[in-house]
Amino acid sequence: MPESMERKTALVTGVGRTAGSGAAIARRLATDGWDLLLSYWQDYDARMPWGVQPDDVGILTAELQASGATVNSFPADFEDPTGADGLMARAAVVGPLSGLVLSHCQSTDSSILDTTLENFDRHFAVNTRASWQLIAAFARQIPGDGGAILALTSDHTVHNLPYGASKGALDRIVIAAARELGPLGISSNVLNPGPVDTGWMDDATRAELTSLQPTGRLGMPVDVAGVAAFLLSPAGRWVSGQLIKADGGFSADR
């Protein structure tokens, strides 16, 4: 980062593991000269196949700080209606945010006939309601020179109903933000990276998805990070109101 460039701060949610897309985005933003506020929720990781990596938050924080970034990490329960506002209250102490990256999620597989009300509501609370709350709070504190919003999404809905449906609702909120918040100098986009190997795949899934990739390889968190960094950069701010498929061609003609 040029010495004359003022450091700005981005909030990146869902950064509880060093192997995740959120962590990769945080690394790239730190390299590009951003300071960072990170959120994580280990109760979610505990319910997932990879389990809690109790040291990962500290390891990643130290790594980012070593690259020159100021980093603050906080747990945030987005199922709780007060979770998003609580996180933004902590952000206010750190200073104004110029970037918001929504990479947190709730994702447990279930279909139309076996999705429970509890599971459905949990997905919409975390993926949709909390994201809207964060977007609104971000806009209310935006500096005079504006900022950028980016949300990670997915179009995987079959046998993954509450996840896909809640992400679809998130897409619409983020695209609406491009119009509603554009006068504040805020760009707002959705990024669909396709299947990304962050540790959730077993060998059979990895082989199947690789066979469907025109590139002959799976997407990796670093691929997501490169696109995210561009969209948050001054050069990328003219892109707004878009649902961008940056998936190595996975979705082409499907």
Side-chain angles (χ1 to χ4, degrees):
M1 181 184 72
E3 291 184 3
S4 60
M5 186 180 296
E6 179 184 358
R7 295 189 72 91
K8 297 185 178 183
T9 303
L11 167 59
V12 185
T13 64
V15 190
R17 298 185 302 125
T18 58
S21 294
I25 292 169
R27 290 188 184 99
R28 176 59 186 270
L29 292 179
T31 299
D32 288 353
W34 289 81
D35 292 328
L36 297 164
L37 176 67
L38 310 177
S39 77
Y40 61 94
W41 189 240
Q42 292 184 335
D43 285 9
Y44 171 68
D45 292 324
R47 297 193 295 266
M48 303 307 289
W50 53 78
V52 174
Q53 309 295 319
D55 298 327
D56 274 20
V57 172
I59 291 169
L60 180 64
T61 299
E63 176 188 339
L64 298 172
Q65 289 172 334
S67 72
T70 298
V71 184
N72 291 273
S73 298
F74 300 107
D77 179 7
F78 292 141
E79 189 177 355
D80 183 338
T82 68
D85 289 339
L87 178 61
M88 291 302 293
R90 286 176 159 175
V93 176
V94 174
L97 300 173
S98 297
L100 173 63
V101 180
L102 302 171
S103 62
H104 69 274
C105 78
Q106 170 69 32
S107 178
T108 55
D109 293 348
S110 63
S111 304
I112 290 173
L113 298 181
D114 61 11
T115 293
T116 65
L117 285 175
E118 178 186 16
N119 196 29
F120 189 89
D121 289 346
R122 175 181 286 165
H123 279 78
F124 272 82
V126 174
N127 296 341
T128 309
R129 184 191 67 205
S131 296
W132 155 63
Q133 290 175 295
L134 290 167
I135 289 168
F138 174 76
R140 293 186 182 107
Q141 60 83 71
I142 197 71
D145 57 352
I149 296 167
L150 177 65
L152 301 189
T153 193
S154 172
D155 53 13
H156 186 205
T157 305
V158 177
H159 300 303
N160 205 5
L161 170 70
Y163 175 70
S166 59
K167 284 289 190 175
L170 169 64
D171 297 350
R172 293 302 178 180
I173 293 169
V174 175
I175 291 171
R179 278 284 186 178
E180 293 190 18
L181 307 181
L184 298 175
I186 298 174
S187 63
S188 185
N189 293 287
V190 191
L191 173 60
N192 184 342
V196 177
D197 193 357
T198 61
W200 61 271
M201 302 178 191
D202 58 25
D203 289 343
T205 300
R206 190 174 290 109
E208 178 184 2
L209 293 175
T210 300
S211 73
L212 298 174
Q213 268 289 6
T215 58
R217 70 169 180 87
L218 288 173
M220 300 300 292
V222 68
D223 299 313
V224 183
V227 180
F230 170 71
L231 291 171
L232 264 68
S233 73
R237 291 268 296 278
W238 187 240
V239 181
S240 192
Q242 304 302 308
L243 197 169
I244 299 165
K245 290 190 175 184
D247 59 9
F250 179 80
S251 59
D253 198 30
R254 286 173 57 83

